[in-house]
Amino acid sequence: MKKIKIFRSLRDIPYKEDRQIQSLKLTSDCYTNLTLIRPRLSEEPKHRIFITVTGKRIFVVYLDENDPALTKLWDRLKLIVQKPVSGIHYLMRELKDNRNSLFPQGQLMENQEQAAAALAQGKFLIMLEDEPRLLVMPVNLFSLFRSNQSSESHWLFFFGLPLMGILAIAAAIFLPALFVAVVAYDYYLIPTNFINPLADSLARAPFSPAMMALLSGITLDMLFEASAHCKSIAKMAVPISAAIVIVLGAVTTGMISGGLATVYGISAIAALAIPDPELTRATRVLKYAAIVLGAIFGVLGVVVTAALTVAHIVALQSLGQSYLSVKSLLTEERLLNPFSLNGRTKDRGKNHE
Amino acid sequence: MNEQNQISAKQLGIYIIGAQVGVGVIFVPQKLAQNSGHDGWISLIFGGIISICAAILIMLLLQRYRDQSIFQINRLLFGKIAAVAINFLLLLYLFYLAFMGLRAFAEYILLIQADQLSLLAVSILIIAPTVYLTAKGLAAICNFSYYLVFFLGMVVVLAGLVYPLHWNFLLPVGASGLPPLIKDIPICSNSYLGFELVVFLYPMVKDKRRALFWVVTANLISMFFFVLVFVLEAGLFGEEMLKKTIAPLFQLPQFIRFGIKERLDMLFSLLWFPFLESTLRAYFYACYSGSVNLFGIRKNKMFLAVFTIGFILINLIPKNLNHFFKLTDYINYSGMGVIGFLLVCYGLSFFLERLKQT
């Protein structure tokens, strides 16, 4: 009889890419991680070990000893080791420059290649015992977008992807708010041939535009959370099917305007296009602030939210280094080939000599 | 000194550009056109050169007294009692210009956007990012301005590509003759005001050797931008229409041939909002930090809150736009007065040195 091979669940199907990624993953042993990263660098990385009160070890790996950011890191770690460190997220929160900020000031990595590239750029790797991920500090906004690319990408993507990431942040935060503000106050911004169908769909809706935007936003966030709690293949299937059902139902019954549904679709895709999960979460929260200000003050409110957000990001620091500076976009040319020679940025190299 | 308040010379230059290219660029082209027609750009260049000379002299004064702001220099030059009065007047000048920046911008927003909003609400909204950045320190303000300069460059490039300029609107060059051009220079000085802020910020600059270079460069960039905006406006609207337009800068987007063009000017002016606000930001910070230094205030955040509330309340005093426009007439005189005073200080510093030697 012919044997039929049955997969126990869809989860067991091995993907080709998955296997490749698996081979590059970090382990939960810090020494093994060190030996995995070392051959990827031209220079021997240095490391320092901190032991917390509960006996857990924290490894800090770095290349340049004279970095001023390193002294800041030592000062903070000396305080942290006096408390029981429960996990890498705790460490990440405690090492923040501005604790109240929603924006991530460190980056979690699971991949050897990415970790080595970050080290080669002069960043520090912070590893916690029994943790298969490591924390990279200091980061800036642009480096958060560059994390999941291969180091051999074309230069165009190295400058293009961060710019697209910023567009994605802007769309995720401000698009629904802009829609609300324009529809509620500044309707003369809408082209005349589009205003009729839009007004039609808005007139049928039982809620005001601001209310509609808030309710849709909350529904969308619940979908995000639901997908996070589902397991394996349901992770993708549940939100997709739910989104289709909800949007289709809401638009056909006239509960929400079709224009708003489209805007939210774009905003949701933009939020998911941001590679850093903590950054995505920040945009999800800021979205509500923008909607509320946009609903009260119109487009001016949205612009003020944008100005305040940029002001906040500009004032942020990661281990004392600027979070958003033109320099960080333009001077990472070593990133193009981080494993050549002693793969550090130019000025860092000079300091070392 | 606090690390957050230390800036490099390049950041100082950016700060000055932010202070200069602000409210002035909105209404100066119209005033120039009323006096000297399409030749306004020539007087803008004259004004720019004069402001660069004044900036160089002011920088030389500061270099004679290393690490000291004008408040301390006044104490050395005029003695303690006279210095208190002079410093207070200087603070008043900063406050006046910051106040003008806020009110002018609030009025323009109210003009452009529908008038559902009250002046108080608009003032609070406009000043919110400024107050936040002021609390975060000078370095944050300068970093913020960096991006705006980036944005400005993009606008300039776009403007050059998109607009169909009528060059014959600008011809013949020099038709108005010399007297109106010279008459225009005080009006131009209105838009170039901002470089005098260096006397308040000088102690916070880290690499002082390059400060002179960047102050001059900032003036040159502002000059280039003003001339470009004037040429764009004159080349598009023509002399006669420019004379009658209140805020010609915001009318520019109407000339872009896009599919969507209804009230694109409003979106444009709102996108310009953080940039135009930079005048307010520059003077607001200078006034705040000046008063913190002068009065030796320790509770900075408390003071900032009180200062902001007072500032917004005073901002509401002028009853209407006409009342406010009457107040703007003094900007020229006060600005030129302060610059003249700084030049006198420079002369006086030599005189006092001679006295000491003899």
Side-chain angles (χ1 to χ4, degrees), chain A residues 188-189 192 299 303 312 325, chain B residues 132 140 143 147 262-263 270 273:
Chain A
Y188 29 78
L189 284 175
T192 25
V299 178
V303 179
H312 172 69
S325 63
Chain B
Y132 182 81
N143 283 342
Y147 279 86
E262 277 112 276
R263 296 307 305 268
L270 283 174
F273 147 68

Side-chain angles (χ1 to χ4, degrees), chain B residues 32 36 39-48 181-182 184-185 188:
Chain B
L32 287 179
S36 55
D39 283 331
W41 60 274
I42 302 175
S43 38
L44 274 171
I45 292 179
F46 279 155
L181 290 181
I182 293 172
D184 271 352
I185 290 175
C188 296

